Amino acid sequence: MEAPAKALKAVHAALSKSKLRDKKRLVDIAGHVSSHLVLLKLSSLSEQVARKLSSFLRESLTILYPVVGLPALQLAGAILESVYHERLLPSIGSLHRDQQDLWESVLHALLAGVLDYLDTHETKDAKIMIGDALYPSLNCETKTY
């Protein structure tokens, strides 16, 4: 889960360069994201932790998208890719169908947050930014595993 931590550093860097009034609140949100990334390292989730993580990622990242768009969307892409390859795929075909469902719910919430952002920012620039940030994570054809 190295990629999400690296992407989060880019979010922090973008926030530190910004001259926003509510910069402290946004830095705090990014800090909370950092503390929640630890949950992505869990090999198994409880239903309660999955619900908390899903809700948090959807709501907090949606606040960051309009402010530091590309870095925040790239963070979402890094989380998506890491959870998919390191948590979801290993659970497929195992006896732990409940874990597959819980990790899928986290990914669903993450992508739902991106769609929430798109619903409120239906500009060509927002669509391009989302594509630039998420296409590499969604395009599995060019990857070798």
Side-chain angles (χ1 to χ4, degrees):
M1 295 276 170
E2 186 177 306
K6 184 178 177 183
L8 185 59
K9 286 182 183 179
V11 169
H12 280 290
L15 285 171
S16 69
K17 293 177 186 176
S18 70
K19 300 190 186 314
L20 301 166
R21 272 187 293 148
D22 57 348
K23 183 175 178 175
K24 182 182 176 347
R25 180 180 74 91
L26 296 167
V27 169
D28 286 345
I29 290 170
H32 291 299
V33 171
S34 178
S35 65
H36 281 75
L37 288 183
V38 173
L39 298 175
L40 298 177
K41 295 179 182 179
L42 296 173
S43 58
S44 64
L45 292 177
S46 68
E47 193 172 324
Q48 181 182 6
V49 170
R51 240 188 340 260
K52 176 183 176 184
L53 185 59
S54 297
S55 174
F56 178 81
L57 289 174
R58 181 176 185 169
E59 293 168 11
S60 59
L61 291 179
T62 303
I63 294 169
L64 294 174
Y65 297 146
V67 182
V68 287
L70 189 59
L73 287 161
Q74 287 171 330
L75 172 59
I79 293 170
L80 170 77
E81 193 168 350
S82 293
V83 169
Y84 180 77
H85 289 287
E86 296 175 28
R87 299 293 174 250
L88 183 61
L89 282 181
S91 70
I92 294 174
S94 74
L95 298 176
H96 304 289
R97 174 70 182 165
D98 59 326
Q99 288 301 303
Q100 180 183 343
D101 293 342
L102 293 172
W103 285 114
E104 283 177 355
S105 71
V106 171
L107 293 180
H108 180 268
L110 184 66
L111 291 174
V114 173
L115 292 176
D116 292 344
Y117 169 67
L118 185 57
D119 285 344
T120 58
H121 298 82
E122 291 188 45
T123 65
K124 183 178 179 181
D125 289 341
K127 291 175 185 177
I128 290 170
M129 190 169 44
I130 291 168
D132 288 346
L134 295 183
Y135 185 76
S137 298
L138 298 173
N139 182 16
C140 297
E141 293 176 22
T142 61
K143 297 187 180 185
T144 55
Y145 297 101

